[in-house]
Amino acid sequence: MQSQAISNLSSLVTDEFASAVDLIYNSKGRVIITGIGKSAIIGNKIVATLNSTGTPAVFMHAADAIHGDLGLILEDDVVICLSKSGNTPEIKVIVPLIKRVKNKLIAITGNKDSFLGQHADYVLNAYVEKEACPNNLAPTTSTTAQLVVGDALAICLLELRGFTSNDFAKYHPGGALGKKLYLTVNDISSVNEKPKVEPNTSIKNVIIEITEKMLGVTAVVENNKIIGIITDGDLRRMLSKVDDFSNLTAKDIMSANPKRIEAKAMAIEALEVMEGHEISQLLVEDEGLYAGVVHLHDLIKEGII
């Protein structure tokens, strides 16, 4: 039932939707969203979505508005009011007050002929035939429709503003999504040890280096340039083939031309390389010189995965 109601919303979109988007986009103020009951909860979510996508928004509960919170509304703000019926007592009180101070009012309602619908500057039709609640009482389908209309507004505004993934990261620096967009390989590898050996290093010292640096790998470098890599797996394979490794050196067991990544690359790129080649470590270079190791566990720890 909800799915059918959402599908039907596209047929209810009129030019007023585009006009409402333009109004918000060209406004010098914020978006004030108000509602009561379940609509208020949906309003809070729409506020969060707008804020995170470049449109400043504030929630004002309709019940609190008539007890002082109307002071939230500034001269250039655009008000969006959510109400299924459009006729609740609180809505009938605050709508005239909003209109009196000449703020533009956008209604998201399931009843365009309601008090709210008749007094709003723009009406975004969120009509649903029936709630999913078997008693047709609990707001279910209607609140889902309100949410979808709010998301549609947010995405249209996002596209008009040319809002990019970098902008998104700026507003989400603490979350995993943000980290995927701003965390570089160097941010991770710079805090790790930098295991390295030279081509003629004995196998004993190779084992010591890998063990001490605790990354399961060491780079083989010459003049601080990567020429190979030795992993725990390389050591196990060597032991399965030879009984005496006292005369072997790093260059005898290393894998030449290992996979590597630039220090300035994004951490998410490192993950893509690891997944593509089914490996757990990548050697890091900075302008052609060995700069360290990034490990799959580092990416997990940072929430990249």
Side-chain angles (χ1 to χ4, degrees):
M1 189 179 297
Q2 289 199 7
S3 175
Q4 291 172 356
I6 297 309
S7 295
N8 186 55
L9 285 178
S10 60
S11 68
L12 304 180
V13 175
T14 67
D15 290 344
E16 286 197 58
F17 184 92
S19 298
V21 170
D22 284 336
L23 172 69
I24 297 171
Y25 178 65
N26 292 309
S27 171
K28 297 179 181 178
R30 307 160 300 169
V31 175
I32 307 296
I33 296 185
T34 189
I36 195 162
K38 304 300 187 295
S39 294
I41 297 171
I42 297 299
N44 269 298
K45 190 275 177 185
I46 297 173
V47 164
T49 301
L50 289 171
N51 280 325
S52 68
T53 53
T55 299
V58 178
F59 180 75
M60 177 185 70
H61 197 283
D64 293 332
I66 58 178
H67 294 286
D69 278 8
L70 276 171
L72 279 171
I73 305 175
L74 303 178
E75 181 179 356
D76 294 321
D77 290 342
V78 175
V79 181
I80 298 177
C81 186
L82 285 78
S83 174
K84 177 190 176 183
S85 71
N87 288 315
T88 58
E90 294 84 0
I91 298 300
K92 288 184 175 181
V93 173
I94 67 171
V95 165
L97 297 174
I98 293 168
K99 298 296 291 182
R100 184 180 303 168
V101 292
K102 302 187 184 307
N103 288 88
K104 292 294 184 181
L105 176 63
I106 299 169
I108 299 179
T109 180
N111 183 5
K112 62 181 182 179
D113 296 322
S114 63
F115 181 87
L116 173 61
Q118 292 296 316
H119 289 83
D121 295 288
Y122 304 99
V123 178
L124 307 186
N125 196 346
Y127 171 77
V128 299
E129 185 175 347
K130 192 174 185 294
E131 299 287 4
C133 165
N135 299 313
N136 196 28
L137 294 173
T140 45
T141 309
S142 61
T143 46
T144 303
Q146 291 174 345
L147 185 63
V148 170
V149 173
D151 283 345
L153 277 174
I155 298 307
C156 288
L157 290 163
L158 176 153
E159 292 186 353
L160 279 175
R161 298 185 194 286
F163 195 84
T164 67
S165 59
N166 288 332
D167 296 316
F168 191 85
K170 181 172 66 176
Y171 294 126
H172 299 75
L177 289 173
K179 286 184 178 181
K180 289 181 180 180
L181 296 168
Y182 77 80
L183 198 68
T184 67
V185 170
N186 184 65
D187 292 331
I188 297 176
S189 64
S190 62
V191 300
N192 285 339
E193 296 281 358
K194 289 175 58 177
K196 63 179 180 178
V197 296
E198 295 183 350
N200 60 354
T201 301
S202 68
I203 297 301
K204 176 182 177 180
N205 288 329
V206 168
I207 295 172
I208 292 172
E209 181 71 0
I210 292 177
T211 303
E212 289 182 347
K213 301 302 170 61
M214 300 178 65
L215 289 169
V217 67
T218 182
V220 182
V221 300
E222 200 167 43
N223 298 321
N224 211 29
K225 292 187 177 182
I226 299 169
I227 65 169
I229 188 172
I230 300 174
T231 66
D232 284 337
D234 292 322
L235 293 175
R236 288 192 295 272
R237 284 186 287 273
M238 175 201 69
L239 291 173
S240 69
K241 293 178 181 179
V242 299
D243 295 322
D244 182 9
F245 56 82
S246 59
N247 294 320
L248 295 178
T249 61
K251 67 177 182 294
D252 296 320
I253 67 167
M254 72 179 188
S255 298
N257 299 316
K259 301 299 177 186
R260 60 196 84 183
I261 193 166
E262 282 291 323
K264 62 184 177 182
M266 306 308 295
I268 187 66
E269 294 178 45
L271 175 60
E272 291 169 357
V273 174
M274 289 182 193
E275 289 180 336
H277 293 89
E278 298 183 346
I279 54 178
S280 301
Q281 306 102 332
L282 270 178
L283 299 184
V284 181
E285 286 184 323
D286 187 0
E287 297 184 354
L289 300 178
Y290 174 59
V293 176
V294 59
H295 197 287
L296 181 63
H297 292 163
D298 299 324
L299 302 177
I300 295 174
K301 182 180 178 181
E302 290 291 343
I304 299 297
I305 302 177

